[in-house]
Amino acid sequence: MTSMKDREEGFERKFAIDEEQRFRATARRNRMLGLWAAEKLGKSGADADAYAKDVVVSDIEEAGDHDVLRKVKGDFDAAGVDQSEHQIRRTMDELMAQALEQVRNS
């Protein structure tokens, strides 16, 4: 009976660790996406950092990545930057892979 309980607790700990890493990786990905988008928008230095923070905060609006995509795409459209949703999503996926690796290695 204790081995089953220990196993269950082990799975719960692993799940909690995985979720924490995913949360940290998503925030890191959003920051990297914000910096990428800021460069496309012609922002640099403090303006780029502020924009990246805005992108991270935009992820609070709803579950999933739709709110982040909507913010970046809307800002691109307003500034006349030619990037499709597909291109932005592809960049988000690439940056997520990098962020997960960075979080796991830290």
Side-chain angles (χ1 to χ4, degrees), residues 75-86:
D75 293 344
F76 280 173
D77 289 347
V81 175
D82 186 27
Q83 290 284 315
S84 69
E85 282 190 24
H86 174 73

Side-chain angles (χ1 to χ4, degrees), residues 57-74:
V57 169
S58 74
D59 195 24
I60 296 170
E61 293 174 16
E62 62 187 54
D65 295 331
H66 304 294
D67 42 3
V68 174
L69 176 67
R70 189 171 41 249
K71 174 177 182 25
V72 172
K73 178 66 173 146

Side-chain angles (χ1 to χ4, degrees), residues 25-39 52-53 55-56 91-92 94-102:
T26 299
R28 186 175 294 216
R29 186 268 328 256
N30 290 343
R31 177 158 174 66
M32 291 189 298
L33 179 70
L35 292 172
W36 171 81
E39 182 180 329
K53 287 177 187 175
V55 171
V56 171
T91 300
M92 289 172 74
E94 292 168 1
L95 292 174
M96 186 59 160
Q98 289 177 24
L100 280 168
E101 186 175 327
Q102 289 173 3

